[in-house]
Amino acid sequence: MFDYLIVGAGFAGSVLAERLATRSNKKVLVVDKRNHIAGNAYDHYNEDGILVHKYGPHIFHTNSKDVFEYLSDFTDWRPYEHRVLASVDGQLVPMPINLDTINKLYGLKLNSFEVEEFFESVAEKVPVVKTSEDVVVSKVGRELYEKFFRNYTRKQWGMDPSELDKSVTSRVPTRTNRDDRYFTDTYQAMPLHGYTRMFERLLDHPNIKVMLNTDYHDIIDFIPFKEMIFTGPVDEFFDFKYGKLPYRSLEFKHETLNTENYLAAPVVNYPNDNLYTRITEFKALTGQQHPKTAIVYEYPKAEGDPYYPVPRLENAELYNQYKKLADETPNVHFVGRLATYKYYNMDQVVAQALTLYKKLTEKSDEKPRKPAIAGSTALVNKMVARDPAKS
Ligand code: FAD
Ligand code: UDP
């Protein structure tokens, strides 16, 4: 009998497995349908021996001391501050847009005060900033919006920025100084030996069993457990009862090149050209020395593995219906980027998992709740039936 069945060996599932096993002495089974742990943060050495991120570049950054200290028990770090160039009008310029971006793009020599005036002169008045278009045009005006954001966003999301919540382009700031870092968080670092090694250490405990290549549907009837933690797509869990939640996918094209360095920056964004959005050179992230170099192109797609929840009002409303169902489902806890339909970075998922752990341990003496609506799904019924507290 397992205390917990955890579906998904990504950040959400692995952090909870670690806490429950080491702090609460719970017996945990972690299943993942993929053939590896670490979820989308999975990295591995490719056939040339270069460390690459299978699912695109993952850069760790956080303002949370708690999250950083927690993960530091499982990895050493390589200090790393991420930098991105955007290919615009035939030039490579810093992204996020900063003082140097404007000076290079327009052949100017403005200082910080002058560039602030410049932004004010081109910014459009938007009474209420609601969409991802509003965010950018209200700060830097339409021309820069079109050069840097409009086409990238259309490519990445398959829709216009005016159709997306403001939170999407708000992830990228505008600066009037020369700071060309992509993030300004207090803690910015890469796991010294990679993400997968960190996950191996998270999951290395006698109370934790890991089953890979296993869809939970295939084992749920055979393996006894008390509670479930679910980190996959929430709509799939409920058999798409209210319809499909849109997720955006990507195709990753990995290449190894017979040259020591390829890009002028760790990542180069292509807002206006090509079918891909960006190219990443992994050695720049990991610091690995190697005579060859490995890169990845990201091609956005509508179909495929679900990578990004799509932040817009109608999707939030649909998600809220699923959330209600999730809240009413006894003995199942939903956590992570797919299960809570949130465009979360890794550190936010770790924080969410640590919060859920606290909640689970605080209520561990309580009896499981009864479902508020009878028989949410066949699966839930099965799980209620096997709950030893009820049988
Ligand atoms: P996941 O990592 O998706 O794990 C969920 C797991 O559940 C998966 O392994 C899946 O196989 C498994 N699963 C699903 N359904 C089933 C089932 N039926 N049975 C068994 N297993 C199942 N964040 C950052 O902080 N910095 C970055 O630079 C960054 N870059 C990113 C780049 C890309 C291209 C993408 C897509 C994401 C990026 N992220 C980044 C976000 C980061 O990947 C996520 O925040 C984090 O990995 C989410 O962890 P999770 O555990 O919620 O989900
Ligand atoms: N974005 C853009 N141009 C860029 C970089 C980002 O338009 O050069 C927009 C785009 O909509 C993107 C969002 O800002 O999806 C968030 O960018 P981020 O780099 O955070 O995306 P992620 O790394 O999560 O894919």
Side-chain angles (χ1 to χ4, degrees), residues 57 59 61 82 84-86 88 95-96 132 136 145 147-154 156-157 161 164 167-172 182-183 250 269-271 277-278 298 308 337 343-345:
I59 294 112
H61 56 101
H82 191 48
V84 175
L85 292 173
V88 172
M95 184 68 182
S132 269
V136 184
Y145 162 72
K147 285 185 195 298
F148 288 87
F149 285 91
R150 182 158 189 255
N151 297 330
Y152 186 108
T153 302
R154 289 170 74 102
Q156 169 74 6
W157 298 94
L164 281 165
S167 59
V168 176
T169 52
S170 298
R171 289 168 62 90
V172 185
Y182 206 68
F183 309 109
L250 292 170
N269 286 359
Y270 293 86
T277 48
R278 59 186 177 191
E298 291 172 56
Y308 291 84
R337 176 147 145 152
Y343 188 177
Y344 274 167
N345 293 325

Side-chain angles (χ1 to χ4, degrees), residues 77-218:
W77 298 97
R78 164 180 194 258
Y80 172 74
E81 293 187 314
H82 191 48
R83 286 179 169 80
V84 175
L85 292 173
S87 169
V88 172
D89 293 348
Q91 300 200 75
L92 291 176
V93 293
M95 184 68 182
I97 295 172
N98 70 7
L99 176 60
D100 289 329
T101 311
I102 300 303
N103 282 339
K104 195 164 179 198
L105 199 65
Y106 293 118
L108 297 171
K109 287 193 174 149
L110 303 181
N111 62 32
S112 282
F113 299 108
E114 290 164 338
V115 85
E116 201 167 328
E117 280 170 14
F118 169 76
F119 286 147
E120 275 164 24
S121 74
V122 291
E124 284 184 13
K125 290 222 166 5
V126 180
V128 187
V129 174
K130 278 202 205 132
T131 71
S132 269
E133 176 182 310
D134 297 343
V135 172
V136 184
V137 297
S138 65
K139 270 199 230 145
V140 299
R142 198 149 292 270
E143 184 169 303
L144 290 167
Y145 162 72
E146 284 177 359
K147 285 185 195 298
F148 288 87
F149 285 91
R150 182 158 189 255
N151 297 330
Y152 186 108
T153 302
R154 289 170 74 102
K155 224 189 315 186
Q156 169 74 6
W157 298 94
M159 62 183 73
D160 194 79
S162 60
E163 299 171 279
L164 281 165
D165 189 83
K166 64 178 177 188
S167 59
V168 176
T169 52
S170 298
R171 289 168 62 90
V172 185
T174 305
R175 303 199 182 111
T176 52
N177 59 21
R178 302 187 63 194
D179 187 350
D180 63 347
R181 294 170 305 160
Y182 206 68
F183 309 109
T184 49
D185 301 50
T186 313
Y187 305 94
Q188 304 190 42
M190 298 291 288
L192 187 61
H193 302 292
Y195 289 96
T196 304
R197 182 72 71 83
M198 179 173 78
F199 276 79
E200 281 167 6
R201 293 185 61 187
L202 275 162
L203 294 168
D204 180 19
H205 191 277
N207 285 351
I208 303 176
K209 300 272 171 289
V210 179
M211 276 173 85
L212 299 176
N213 300 303
T214 307
D215 192 308
Y216 79 99
H217 293 100
D218 298 337

